[in-house]
Amino acid sequence: MKPILESEVSTLHMILTDPYVRKYLCDDKIFSLQQVEEMLKQSRKYFEEESFGLWFIKINSESEAIGFVGLWYFFDEEQPQLIYALLPKALKKGYATEAATKILEYGFDELGYEYLVASCDPPNLESQKVAARLGMRKTEEKIVNGNPILFFRLEKS
């Protein structure tokens, strides 16, 4: 995993506009290249100011990105949430769980968080399974912007 650079905008844009990824992560909206550029500017700012942002998930350092993982502010939460997304070809191989585990460890050990939260749409069963494998417990379901969202939480051990 490595932080996503602004020069890698086209790769992140490709991931975010994949029909499977955008179905759950983007409420099926297609992000413009400019919107993804703004995300990467924000990610750089988060890294500079708070030591987190978005990282690509790669099988090895030479391979293409198969998804991304990170910490990001959503839904007016006090601290960032865990976020992860994989392209369909990389599903059900343990990559999301492995990458998210590294981010959880980083959040607890390096950033000093006492807990971390993740959220997903109720039909996103794959993300729910990843949250369960990470040891996260479902804590609530909220309506956010007219859509139901499930929230999961893991306390620092």
Side-chain angles (χ1 to χ4, degrees):
M1 293 188 324
K2 67 179 193 88
I4 303 173
L5 304 174
E6 289 176 61
S7 61
E8 298 170 303
V9 66
S10 62
T11 302
L12 182 59
H13 184 254
M14 179 268 303
I15 293 169
L16 287 168
T17 56
D18 176 86
Y20 178 82
V21 172
R22 77 169 193 255
K23 177 179 179 180
Y24 295 120
L25 194 63
C26 309
D27 293 329
D28 215 18
K29 294 183 177 106
I30 297 177
F31 288 180
S32 69
L33 196 57
Q34 183 178 2
Q35 287 172 301
V36 178
E37 287 171 349
E38 291 302 316
M39 283 179 70
L40 288 180
K41 286 179 185 172
Q42 184 62 55
S43 182
R44 180 174 40 88
K45 183 177 177 184
Y46 284 152
F47 273 114
E48 290 170 358
E49 296 175 1
E50 301 184 60
S51 301
F52 68 78
L54 300 175
W55 290 264
F56 273 137
I57 301 171
K58 295 184 173 191
I59 297 169
N60 60 53
S61 62
E62 303 302 315
S63 67
E64 65 184 43
I66 57 171
F68 67 92
V69 66
L71 295 169
W72 201 262
Y73 286 107
F74 293 101
F75 312 126
D76 300 322
E77 294 284 324
E78 292 179 18
Q79 69 182 37
Q81 287 187 35
L82 175 65
I83 181 174
Y84 45 86
L86 286 177
L87 292 170
K89 66 183 178 183
L91 294 173
K92 299 183 182 190
K93 297 177 181 171
Y95 299 132
T97 303
E98 182 180 349
T101 297
K102 289 180 181 180
I103 299 303
L104 289 173
E105 290 170 355
Y106 179 75
F108 291 139
D109 298 342
E110 302 297 322
L111 301 179
Y113 293 129
E114 293 299 316
Y115 69 91
L116 281 163
V117 174
S119 60
C120 70
D121 297 344
N124 190 344
L125 299 179
E126 292 302 321
S127 278
Q128 290 183 53
K129 290 176 187 175
V130 170
R133 284 192 295 273
L134 295 171
M136 300 184 105
R137 290 184 350 269
K138 187 168 97 172
T139 56
E140 64 182 321
E141 182 172 340
K142 294 183 192 175
I143 303 297
V144 179
N145 298 325
N147 299 312
I149 305 288
L150 300 175
F151 287 82
F152 299 85
R153 182 177 170 126
L154 180 67
E155 302 289 331
K156 183 177 181 176
S157 55

